[in-house]
Amino acid sequence: MNAIVVHAYGGPEVLSYESVPERLPGPGELLIANRAIGVNFIDTYFRSGVYKAPQLPFVPGNEGAGEVVIVGEGVSEFTPGDRVAYTSHLGAYADQTVVPAELVVKLPGSVGFEMAAASLLKGLTAEYLLHRTFDISPGNVILIHAAAGGVGLILTQWAKHLGATVIATAGSPEKVELVRSKGADHVIDYTKDDFVTAVRDITGGRGVDVVYDGVGKATYPASLDVLRPLGLFVSFGNASGVIDNFDILLLGQKGSLFVTRPTLGTFTKNREILLEQAERLFHVIGDGAVQVAINGHYPLAQAADAHRALQSRQTTGATVLLPT
Ligand SMILES: NC(=O)c1ccc[n+]([C@@H]2O[C@H](COP(=O)([O-])OP(=O)(O)OC[C@H]3O[C@@H](n4cnc5c(N)ncnc54)[C@H](OP(=O)(O)O)[C@@H]3O)[C@@H](O)[C@H]2O)c1
């Protein structure tokens, strides 16, 4: 079978498409034939070494959808031929992936492989950000950074569905239009306008209840300045670089703020929570409350081009890789 292999951390050029030996599933595992593979910003952190893989070389990719081929010993929940998807497991950039069954969910008939690969990791993230990190309800006013991105578009629509007022940022006039068309109440082009001033104006000086910040270095510490007293700073990603000068005293100075740095893996480790999350996600997709925009398709062999596009801010919505 073929897979993308990383032999040494580096730029997109280290994503090498190669023939690799097939692996059989062990106890508790499934062999899955990937039909579509999700591209996520976290894949770039593993590729570059910002996040470390358990060993080198490794097959990157944290999200795939396809069919169960072989069921490992002791697994009773799945049978060959089941349509499934998985996340929180490295090794998805491949024709086939061995995955612990406890990280796999069955797909409803209405959710195709591309849709699943485009939405599972990003959608489960949106679910925990909106329901478990802060319990969003009507009346809440929130700021979502990079709202035209993969997580951003899902987060925006889902937050609107829950009744929040959504202020969003995006990095170009086209992205601003896209986010507005998905229901955001106010969209700021933060490459042109100062988002702190804009949010203060929009909220009449009050500030927002929560900031969802996957941008990281470029928006810190300014993101703290748009929060109301006792507001919550959710730092969930580092698209512009890792925040490396976090100053805890700022939380007090800016109004007894709360901060969290959550990660999806914490939630998906608990199978009951994972299944609850997936059910909620497939529900909001199924009833049309959240539309998943799959705006990039690449053959698996061209994963490097997908990474170049994602890291140079050329993408909107989700990108998928397709094994041939
Ligand atoms: N903690 C978790 O559980 C979790 C799970 C999933 C994703 N994430 C994080 O969520 C964020 C979004 O992930 P995604 O896969 O959906 O990616 P994405 O949002 O589709 O792409 C990243 C976006 O970040 C913005 N950005 C701002 N400064 C940037 C820079 N210097 N370089 C590149 N991009 C920059 C760009 O949008 P603009 O041009 O509009 O600024 C870009 O499109 C990432 O930080 C990711 O790590 C975290």
Side-chain angles (χ1 to χ4, degrees), residues 29-63:
E29 295 180 328
L30 299 172
L31 177 67
I32 296 170
N34 295 312
R35 299 287 179 235
I37 298 155
V39 177
N40 292 284
F41 222 92
I42 192 174
D43 304 344
T44 72
Y45 307 143
F46 275 109
R47 187 211 69 223
S48 66
V50 171
Y51 295 173
K52 300 293 179 220
Q55 78 288 316
L56 283 166
F58 71 97
V59 175
N62 290 272
E63 177 180 39

PDB file of all heavy atoms in Angstrom, residues 29-63:
ATOM      1  N   GLU A  29      -8.095  -3.497  17.647  1.00  0.00           N
ATOM      2  CA  GLU A  29      -7.859  -2.565  16.538  1.00  0.00           C
ATOM      3  C   GLU A  29      -8.668  -2.943  15.297  1.00  0.00           C
ATOM      4  O   GLU A  29      -9.153  -4.069  15.167  1.00  0.00           O
ATOM      5  CB  GLU A  29      -6.370  -2.564  16.161  1.00  0.00           C
ATOM      6  CG  GLU A  29      -5.468  -2.035  17.261  1.00  0.00           C
ATOM      7  CD  GLU A  29      -3.989  -2.040  16.873  1.00  0.00           C
ATOM      8  OE1 GLU A  29      -3.563  -2.938  16.109  1.00  0.00           O
ATOM      9  OE2 GLU A  29      -3.261  -1.161  17.354  1.00  0.00           O
ATOM     10  N   LEU A  30      -8.759  -1.973  14.373  1.00  0.00           N
ATOM     11  CA  LEU A  30      -9.431  -2.195  13.088  1.00  0.00           C
ATOM     12  C   LEU A  30      -8.468  -1.807  11.974  1.00  0.00           C
ATOM     13  O   LEU A  30      -7.727  -0.827  12.113  1.00  0.00           O
ATOM     14  CB  LEU A  30     -10.671  -1.296  12.963  1.00  0.00           C
ATOM     15  CG  LEU A  30     -11.787  -1.459  13.988  1.00  0.00           C
ATOM     16  CD1 LEU A  30     -12.825  -0.348  13.803  1.00  0.00           C
ATOM     17  CD2 LEU A  30     -12.450  -2.833  13.828  1.00  0.00           C
ATOM     18  N   LEU A  31      -8.516  -2.558  10.860  1.00  0.00           N
ATOM     19  CA  LEU A  31      -7.833  -2.085   9.648  1.00  0.00           C
ATOM     20  C   LEU A  31      -8.891  -1.388   8.793  1.00  0.00           C
ATOM     21  O   LEU A  31      -9.921  -1.985   8.445  1.00  0.00           O
ATOM     22  CB  LEU A  31      -7.216  -3.252   8.872  1.00  0.00           C
ATOM     23  CG  LEU A  31      -6.545  -2.834   7.553  1.00  0.00           C
ATOM     24  CD1 LEU A  31      -5.301  -1.977   7.819  1.00  0.00           C
ATOM     25  CD2 LEU A  31      -6.161  -4.048   6.707  1.00  0.00           C
ATOM     26  N   ILE A  32      -8.634  -0.127   8.487  1.00  0.00           N
ATOM     27  CA  ILE A  32      -9.603   0.683   7.742  1.00  0.00           C
ATOM     28  C   ILE A  32      -9.007   1.085   6.399  1.00  0.00           C
ATOM     29  O   ILE A  32      -7.869   1.578   6.340  1.00  0.00           O
ATOM     30  CB  ILE A  32      -9.990   1.940   8.562  1.00  0.00           C
ATOM     31  CG1 ILE A  32     -10.700   1.508   9.846  1.00  0.00           C
ATOM     32  CG2 ILE A  32     -10.888   2.890   7.748  1.00  0.00           C
ATOM     33  CD1 ILE A  32     -10.924   2.622  10.847  1.00  0.00           C
ATOM     34  N   ALA A  33      -9.763   0.854   5.312  1.00  0.00           N
ATOM     35  CA  ALA A  33      -9.370   1.353   3.987  1.00  0.00           C
ATOM     36  C   ALA A  33      -9.874   2.785   3.893  1.00  0.00           C
ATOM     37  O   ALA A  33     -11.091   3.016   3.897  1.00  0.00           O
ATOM     38  CB  ALA A  33      -9.989   0.493   2.898  1.00  0.00           C
ATOM     39  N   ASN A  34      -8.948   3.738   3.850  1.00  0.00           N
ATOM     40  CA  ASN A  34      -9.351   5.151   3.830  1.00  0.00           C
ATOM     41  C   ASN A  34      -9.916   5.530   2.460  1.00  0.00           C
ATOM     42  O   ASN A  34      -9.280   5.271   1.436  1.00  0.00           O
ATOM     43  CB  ASN A  34      -8.144   6.048   4.137  1.00  0.00           C
ATOM     44  CG  ASN A  34      -7.618   5.845   5.538  1.00  0.00           C
ATOM     45  OD1 ASN A  34      -8.387   5.830   6.501  1.00  0.00           O
ATOM     46  ND2 ASN A  34      -6.309   5.684   5.665  1.00  0.00           N
ATOM     47  N   ARG A  35     -11.076   6.130   2.448  1.00  0.00           N
ATOM     48  CA  ARG A  35     -11.652   6.632   1.183  1.00  0.00           C
ATOM     49  C   ARG A  35     -11.463   8.151   1.072  1.00  0.00           C
ATOM     50  O   ARG A  35     -11.468   8.703  -0.006  1.00  0.00           O
ATOM     51  CB  ARG A  35     -13.145   6.302   1.105  1.00  0.00           C
ATOM     52  CG  ARG A  35     -13.442   4.833   1.147  1.00  0.00           C
ATOM     53  CD  ARG A  35     -13.055   4.144  -0.163  1.00  0.00           C
ATOM     54  NE  ARG A  35     -13.334   2.728  -0.087  1.00  0.00           N
ATOM     55  CZ  ARG A  35     -12.447   1.767  -0.310  1.00  0.00           C
ATOM     56  NH1 ARG A  35     -11.197   2.070  -0.643  1.00  0.00           N
ATOM     57  NH2 ARG A  35     -12.794   0.498  -0.216  1.00  0.00           N
ATOM     58  N   ALA A  36     -11.338   8.819   2.201  1.00  0.00           N
ATOM     59  CA  ALA A  36     -11.032  10.255   2.223  1.00  0.00           C
ATOM     60  C   ALA A  36     -10.302  10.539   3.531  1.00  0.00           C
ATOM     61  O   ALA A  36     -10.559   9.889   4.557  1.00  0.00           O
ATOM     62  CB  ALA A  36     -12.308  11.081   2.122  1.00  0.00           C
ATOM     63  N   ILE A  37      -9.387  11.511   3.468  1.00  0.00           N
ATOM     64  CA  ILE A  37      -8.522  11.819   4.617  1.00  0.00           C
ATOM     65  C   ILE A  37      -8.599  13.322   4.886  1.00  0.00           C
ATOM     66  O   ILE A  37      -8.486  14.130   3.950  1.00  0.00           O
ATOM     67  CB  ILE A  37      -7.064  11.417   4.274  1.00  0.00           C
ATOM     68  CG1 ILE A  37      -6.983   9.892   4.016  1.00  0.00           C
ATOM     69  CG2 ILE A  37      -6.097  11.840   5.376  1.00  0.00           C
ATOM     70  CD1 ILE A  37      -5.836   9.490   3.119  1.00  0.00           C
ATOM     71  N   GLY A  38      -8.812  13.694   6.121  1.00  0.00           N
ATOM     72  CA  GLY A  38      -8.911  15.113   6.463  1.00  0.00           C
ATOM     73  C   GLY A  38      -7.537  15.764   6.568  1.00  0.00           C
ATOM     74  O   GLY A  38      -6.586  15.151   7.054  1.00  0.00           O
ATOM     75  N   VAL A  39      -7.440  16.993   6.083  1.00  0.00           N
ATOM     76  CA  VAL A  39      -6.215  17.791   6.269  1.00  0.00           C
ATOM     77  C   VAL A  39      -6.506  18.798   7.370  1.00  0.00           C
ATOM     78  O   VAL A  39      -7.510  19.526   7.302  1.00  0.00           O
ATOM     79  CB  VAL A  39      -5.830  18.541   4.973  1.00  0.00           C
ATOM     80  CG1 VAL A  39      -4.607  19.424   5.210  1.00  0.00           C
ATOM     81  CG2 VAL A  39      -5.575  17.538   3.852  1.00  0.00           C
ATOM     82  N   ASN A  40      -5.661  18.826   8.376  1.00  0.00           N
ATOM     83  CA  ASN A  40      -5.863  19.719   9.521  1.00  0.00           C
ATOM     84  C   ASN A  40      -4.565  20.442   9.852  1.00  0.00           C
ATOM     85  O   ASN A  40      -3.476  19.924   9.603  1.00  0.00           O
ATOM     86  CB  ASN A  40      -6.308  18.909  10.744  1.00  0.00           C
ATOM     87  CG  ASN A  40      -7.691  18.345  10.541  1.00  0.00           C
ATOM     88  OD1 ASN A  40      -8.686  19.062  10.641  1.00  0.00           O
ATOM     89  ND2 ASN A  40      -7.784  17.057  10.202  1.00  0.00           N
ATOM     90  N   PHE A  41      -4.720  21.616  10.471  1.00  0.00           N
ATOM     91  CA  PHE A  41      -3.518  22.381  10.811  1.00  0.00           C
ATOM     92  C   PHE A  41      -2.592  21.586  11.717  1.00  0.00           C
ATOM     93  O   PHE A  41      -1.368  21.723  11.632  1.00  0.00           O
ATOM     94  CB  PHE A  41      -3.882  23.740  11.420  1.00  0.00           C
ATOM     95  CG  PHE A  41      -3.000  24.826  10.880  1.00  0.00           C
ATOM     96  CD1 PHE A  41      -3.372  25.555   9.768  1.00  0.00           C
ATOM     97  CD2 PHE A  41      -1.754  25.087  11.451  1.00  0.00           C
ATOM     98  CE1 PHE A  41      -2.528  26.536   9.233  1.00  0.00           C
ATOM     99  CE2 PHE A  41      -0.915  26.057  10.933  1.00  0.00           C
ATOM    100  CZ  PHE A  41      -1.301  26.784   9.827  1.00  0.00           C
ATOM    101  N   ILE A  42      -3.161  20.717  12.549  1.00  0.00           N
ATOM    102  CA  ILE A  42      -2.320  19.920  13.450  1.00  0.00           C
ATOM    103  C   ILE A  42      -1.346  19.039  12.655  1.00  0.00           C
ATOM    104  O   ILE A  42      -0.240  18.742  13.113  1.00  0.00           O
ATOM    105  CB  ILE A  42      -3.183  19.075  14.417  1.00  0.00           C
ATOM    106  CG1 ILE A  42      -2.331  18.474  15.533  1.00  0.00           C
ATOM    107  CG2 ILE A  42      -3.958  18.003  13.685  1.00  0.00           C
ATOM    108  CD1 ILE A  42      -3.120  17.744  16.610  1.00  0.00           C
ATOM    109  N   ASP A  43      -1.731  18.679  11.422  1.00  0.00           N
ATOM    110  CA  ASP A  43      -0.835  17.854  10.592  1.00  0.00           C
ATOM    111  C   ASP A  43       0.452  18.615  10.280  1.00  0.00           C
ATOM    112  O   ASP A  43       1.526  18.020  10.149  1.00  0.00           O
ATOM    113  CB  ASP A  43      -1.523  17.464   9.279  1.00  0.00           C
ATOM    114  CG  ASP A  43      -2.851  16.752   9.495  1.00  0.00           C
ATOM    115  OD1 ASP A  43      -3.107  16.294  10.627  1.00  0.00           O
ATOM    116  OD2 ASP A  43      -3.644  16.660   8.531  1.00  0.00           O
ATOM    117  N   THR A  44       0.329  19.935  10.161  1.00  0.00           N
ATOM    118  CA  THR A  44       1.530  20.741   9.866  1.00  0.00           C
ATOM    119  C   THR A  44       2.431  20.830  11.108  1.00  0.00           C
ATOM    120  O   THR A  44       3.646  20.900  10.990  1.00  0.00           O
ATOM    121  CB  THR A  44       1.176  22.163   9.374  1.00  0.00           C
ATOM    122  OG1 THR A  44       0.670  22.945  10.459  1.00  0.00           O
ATOM    123  CG2 THR A  44       0.152  22.131   8.243  1.00  0.00           C
ATOM    124  N   TYR A  45       1.814  20.821  12.316  1.00  0.00           N
ATOM    125  CA  TYR A  45       2.638  20.862  13.544  1.00  0.00           C
ATOM    126  C   TYR A  45       3.442  19.563  13.675  1.00  0.00           C
ATOM    127  O   TYR A  45       4.611  19.582  14.042  1.00  0.00           O
ATOM    128  CB  TYR A  45       1.781  21.016  14.808  1.00  0.00           C
ATOM    129  CG  TYR A  45       0.797  22.166  14.839  1.00  0.00           C
ATOM    130  CD1 TYR A  45      -0.446  22.007  15.447  1.00  0.00           C
ATOM    131  CD2 TYR A  45       1.107  23.414  14.309  1.00  0.00           C
ATOM    132  CE1 TYR A  45      -1.362  23.045  15.521  1.00  0.00           C
ATOM    133  CE2 TYR A  45       0.204  24.456  14.372  1.00  0.00           C
ATOM    134  CZ  TYR A  45      -1.033  24.266  14.971  1.00  0.00           C
ATOM    135  OH  TYR A  45      -1.941  25.288  15.040  1.00  0.00           O
ATOM    136  N   PHE A  46       2.789  18.422  13.368  1.00  0.00           N
ATOM    137  CA  PHE A  46       3.515  17.139  13.445  1.00  0.00           C
ATOM    138  C   PHE A  46       4.593  17.063  12.362  1.00  0.00           C
ATOM    139  O   PHE A  46       5.693  16.565  12.596  1.00  0.00           O
ATOM    140  CB  PHE A  46       2.546  15.952  13.318  1.00  0.00           C
ATOM    141  CG  PHE A  46       1.909  15.566  14.622  1.00  0.00           C
ATOM    142  CD1 PHE A  46       0.556  15.801  14.863  1.00  0.00           C
ATOM    143  CD2 PHE A  46       2.653  14.956  15.628  1.00  0.00           C
ATOM    144  CE1 PHE A  46      -0.033  15.448  16.065  1.00  0.00           C
ATOM    145  CE2 PHE A  46       2.075  14.590  16.840  1.00  0.00           C
ATOM    146  CZ  PHE A  46       0.726  14.841  17.054  1.00  0.00           C
ATOM    147  N   ARG A  47       4.274  17.548  11.171  1.00  0.00           N
ATOM    148  CA  ARG A  47       5.245  17.495  10.063  1.00  0.00           C
ATOM    149  C   ARG A  47       6.483  18.338  10.370  1.00  0.00           C
ATOM    150  O   ARG A  47       7.617  17.950  10.086  1.00  0.00           O
ATOM    151  CB  ARG A  47       4.553  18.005   8.785  1.00  0.00           C
ATOM    152  CG  ARG A  47       5.388  17.835   7.524  1.00  0.00           C
ATOM    153  CD  ARG A  47       5.077  18.947   6.542  1.00  0.00           C
ATOM    154  NE  ARG A  47       5.559  20.221   7.005  1.00  0.00           N
ATOM    155  CZ  ARG A  47       4.889  21.391   6.931  1.00  0.00           C
ATOM    156  NH1 ARG A  47       3.684  21.452   6.397  1.00  0.00           N
ATOM    157  NH2 ARG A  47       5.436  22.501   7.393  1.00  0.00           N
ATOM    158  N   SER A  48       6.252  19.530  10.983  1.00  0.00           N
ATOM    159  CA  SER A  48       7.377  20.445  11.214  1.00  0.00           C
ATOM    160  C   SER A  48       8.105  20.156  12.525  1.00  0.00           C
ATOM    161  O   SER A  48       9.202  20.665  12.743  1.00  0.00           O
ATOM    162  CB  SER A  48       6.862  21.885  11.236  1.00  0.00           C
ATOM    163  OG  SER A  48       6.023  22.074  12.357  1.00  0.00           O
ATOM    164  N   GLY A  49       7.498  19.357  13.405  1.00  0.00           N
ATOM    165  CA  GLY A  49       8.142  19.037  14.673  1.00  0.00           C
ATOM    166  C   GLY A  49       7.708  19.930  15.823  1.00  0.00           C
ATOM    167  O   GLY A  49       8.193  19.792  16.942  1.00  0.00           O
ATOM    168  N   VAL A  50       6.746  20.861  15.574  1.00  0.00           N
ATOM    169  CA  VAL A  50       6.182  21.650  16.688  1.00  0.00           C
ATOM    170  C   VAL A  50       5.550  20.679  17.692  1.00  0.00           C
ATOM    171  O   VAL A  50       5.698  20.816  18.906  1.00  0.00           O
ATOM    172  CB  VAL A  50       5.124  22.659  16.173  1.00  0.00           C
ATOM    173  CG1 VAL A  50       4.373  23.316  17.335  1.00  0.00           C
ATOM    174  CG2 VAL A  50       5.786  23.728  15.317  1.00  0.00           C
ATOM    175  N   TYR A  51       4.825  19.669  17.174  1.00  0.00           N
ATOM    176  CA  TYR A  51       4.379  18.537  17.993  1.00  0.00           C
ATOM    177  C   TYR A  51       5.217  17.339  17.558  1.00  0.00           C
ATOM    178  O   TYR A  51       5.452  17.157  16.361  1.00  0.00           O
ATOM    179  CB  TYR A  51       2.898  18.215  17.756  1.00  0.00           C
ATOM    180  CG  TYR A  51       1.894  19.278  18.168  1.00  0.00           C
ATOM    181  CD1 TYR A  51       0.540  19.125  17.852  1.00  0.00           C
ATOM    182  CD2 TYR A  51       2.266  20.428  18.877  1.00  0.00           C
ATOM    183  CE1 TYR A  51      -0.400  20.087  18.215  1.00  0.00           C
ATOM    184  CE2 TYR A  51       1.336  21.382  19.235  1.00  0.00           C
ATOM    185  CZ  TYR A  51       0.001  21.216  18.900  1.00  0.00           C
ATOM    186  OH  TYR A  51      -0.919  22.162  19.255  1.00  0.00           O
ATOM    187  N   LYS A  52       5.644  16.525  18.530  1.00  0.00           N
ATOM    188  CA  LYS A  52       6.516  15.397  18.200  1.00  0.00           C
ATOM    189  C   LYS A  52       5.703  14.118  17.972  1.00  0.00           C
ATOM    190  O   LYS A  52       4.831  13.773  18.767  1.00  0.00           O
ATOM    191  CB  LYS A  52       7.514  15.133  19.332  1.00  0.00           C
ATOM    192  CG  LYS A  52       8.434  16.327  19.635  1.00  0.00           C
ATOM    193  CD  LYS A  52       9.396  16.631  18.502  1.00  0.00           C
ATOM    194  CE  LYS A  52      10.270  17.829  18.802  1.00  0.00           C
ATOM    195  NZ  LYS A  52      10.506  18.704  17.673  1.00  0.00           N
ATOM    196  N   ALA A  53       6.036  13.405  16.904  1.00  0.00           N
ATOM    197  CA  ALA A  53       5.459  12.073  16.671  1.00  0.00           C
ATOM    198  C   ALA A  53       6.125  11.103  17.636  1.00  0.00           C
ATOM    199  O   ALA A  53       7.232  11.372  18.117  1.00  0.00           O
ATOM    200  CB  ALA A  53       5.713  11.670  15.230  1.00  0.00           C
ATOM    201  N   PRO A  54       5.479   9.943  17.922  1.00  0.00           N
ATOM    202  CA  PRO A  54       6.109   8.987  18.849  1.00  0.00           C
ATOM    203  C   PRO A  54       7.465   8.513  18.344  1.00  0.00           C
ATOM    204  O   PRO A  54       8.343   8.178  19.132  1.00  0.00           O
ATOM    205  CB  PRO A  54       5.115   7.819  18.891  1.00  0.00           C
ATOM    206  CG  PRO A  54       3.822   8.363  18.375  1.00  0.00           C
ATOM    207  CD  PRO A  54       4.144   9.517  17.479  1.00  0.00           C
ATOM    208  N   GLN A  55       7.651   8.458  17.011  1.00  0.00           N
ATOM    209  CA  GLN A  55       8.958   8.070  16.461  1.00  0.00           C
ATOM    210  C   GLN A  55       9.074   8.596  15.043  1.00  0.00           C
ATOM    211  O   GLN A  55       8.097   8.997  14.441  1.00  0.00           O
ATOM    212  CB  GLN A  55       9.128   6.538  16.486  1.00  0.00           C
ATOM    213  CG  GLN A  55       8.401   5.780  15.368  1.00  0.00           C
ATOM    214  CD  GLN A  55       6.886   5.721  15.503  1.00  0.00           C
ATOM    215  OE1 GLN A  55       6.406   5.472  16.592  1.00  0.00           O
ATOM    216  NE2 GLN A  55       6.150   5.969  14.419  1.00  0.00           N
ATOM    217  N   LEU A  56      10.307   8.593  14.533  1.00  0.00           N
ATOM    218  CA  LEU A  56      10.569   8.893  13.118  1.00  0.00           C
ATOM    219  C   LEU A  56      11.081   7.602  12.475  1.00  0.00           C
ATOM    220  O   LEU A  56      11.822   6.879  13.124  1.00  0.00           O
ATOM    221  CB  LEU A  56      11.638   9.980  12.979  1.00  0.00           C
ATOM    222  CG  LEU A  56      11.206  11.428  13.235  1.00  0.00           C
ATOM    223  CD1 LEU A  56      12.440  12.321  13.385  1.00  0.00           C
ATOM    224  CD2 LEU A  56      10.301  11.954  12.127  1.00  0.00           C
ATOM    225  N   PRO A  57      10.764   7.276  11.222  1.00  0.00           N
ATOM    226  CA  PRO A  57       9.771   7.961  10.402  1.00  0.00           C
ATOM    227  C   PRO A  57       8.358   7.681  10.899  1.00  0.00           C
ATOM    228  O   PRO A  57       8.147   6.725  11.667  1.00  0.00           O
ATOM    229  CB  PRO A  57       9.990   7.343   9.018  1.00  0.00           C
ATOM    230  CG  PRO A  57      10.545   5.983   9.294  1.00  0.00           C
ATOM    231  CD  PRO A  57      11.342   6.092  10.553  1.00  0.00           C
ATOM    232  N   PHE A  58       7.404   8.503  10.448  1.00  0.00           N
ATOM    233  CA  PHE A  58       6.005   8.251  10.806  1.00  0.00           C
ATOM    234  C   PHE A  58       5.099   8.652   9.646  1.00  0.00           C
ATOM    235  O   PHE A  58       5.500   9.411   8.763  1.00  0.00           O
ATOM    236  CB  PHE A  58       5.621   9.011  12.083  1.00  0.00           C
ATOM    237  CG  PHE A  58       5.509  10.512  11.902  1.00  0.00           C
ATOM    238  CD1 PHE A  58       4.274  11.115  11.695  1.00  0.00           C
ATOM    239  CD2 PHE A  58       6.637  11.325  11.942  1.00  0.00           C
ATOM    240  CE1 PHE A  58       4.165  12.500  11.531  1.00  0.00           C
ATOM    241  CE2 PHE A  58       6.537  12.705  11.767  1.00  0.00           C
ATOM    242  CZ  PHE A  58       5.305  13.296  11.562  1.00  0.00           C
ATOM    243  N   VAL A  59       3.871   8.102   9.677  1.00  0.00           N
ATOM    244  CA  VAL A  59       2.846   8.464   8.696  1.00  0.00           C
ATOM    245  C   VAL A  59       1.969   9.524   9.362  1.00  0.00           C
ATOM    246  O   VAL A  59       1.384   9.259  10.412  1.00  0.00           O
ATOM    247  CB  VAL A  59       2.008   7.233   8.286  1.00  0.00           C
ATOM    248  CG1 VAL A  59       0.867   7.651   7.359  1.00  0.00           C
ATOM    249  CG2 VAL A  59       2.899   6.191   7.614  1.00  0.00           C
ATOM    250  N   PRO A  60       1.884  10.744   8.802  1.00  0.00           N
ATOM    251  CA  PRO A  60       1.089  11.794   9.450  1.00  0.00           C
ATOM    252  C   PRO A  60      -0.408  11.629   9.161  1.00  0.00           C
ATOM    253  O   PRO A  60      -0.823  10.687   8.494  1.00  0.00           O
ATOM    254  CB  PRO A  60       1.625  13.079   8.810  1.00  0.00           C
ATOM    255  CG  PRO A  60       2.154  12.665   7.487  1.00  0.00           C
ATOM    256  CD  PRO A  60       2.571  11.219   7.594  1.00  0.00           C
ATOM    257  N   GLY A  61      -1.188  12.592   9.645  1.00  0.00           N
ATOM    258  CA  GLY A  61      -2.638  12.581   9.393  1.00  0.00           C
ATOM    259  C   GLY A  61      -3.397  12.111  10.607  1.00  0.00           C
ATOM    260  O   GLY A  61      -3.080  11.074  11.199  1.00  0.00           O
ATOM    261  N   ASN A  62      -4.410  12.889  11.002  1.00  0.00           N
ATOM    262  CA  ASN A  62      -5.138  12.611  12.246  1.00  0.00           C
ATOM    263  C   ASN A  62      -6.619  12.331  12.033  1.00  0.00           C
ATOM    264  O   ASN A  62      -7.386  12.328  12.996  1.00  0.00           O
ATOM    265  CB  ASN A  62      -5.004  13.810  13.182  1.00  0.00           C
ATOM    266  CG  ASN A  62      -3.601  13.951  13.712  1.00  0.00           C
ATOM    267  OD1 ASN A  62      -3.253  13.382  14.728  1.00  0.00           O
ATOM    268  ND2 ASN A  62      -2.760  14.669  12.993  1.00  0.00           N
ATOM    269  N   GLU A  63      -7.027  12.099  10.781  1.00  0.00           N
ATOM    270  CA  GLU A  63      -8.471  11.988  10.531  1.00  0.00           C
ATOM    271  C   GLU A  63      -8.696  11.271   9.204  1.00  0.00           C
ATOM    272  O   GLU A  63      -8.139  11.671   8.169  1.00  0.00           O
ATOM    273  CB  GLU A  63      -9.040  13.414  10.433  1.00  0.00           C
ATOM    274  CG  GLU A  63     -10.503  13.525  10.113  1.00  0.00           C
ATOM    275  CD  GLU A  63     -10.932  14.997  10.035  1.00  0.00           C
ATOM    276  OE1 GLU A  63     -10.166  15.833   9.514  1.00  0.00           O
ATOM    277  OE2 GLU A  63     -12.039  15.296  10.502  1.00  0.00           O
TER     278      GLU A  63
END
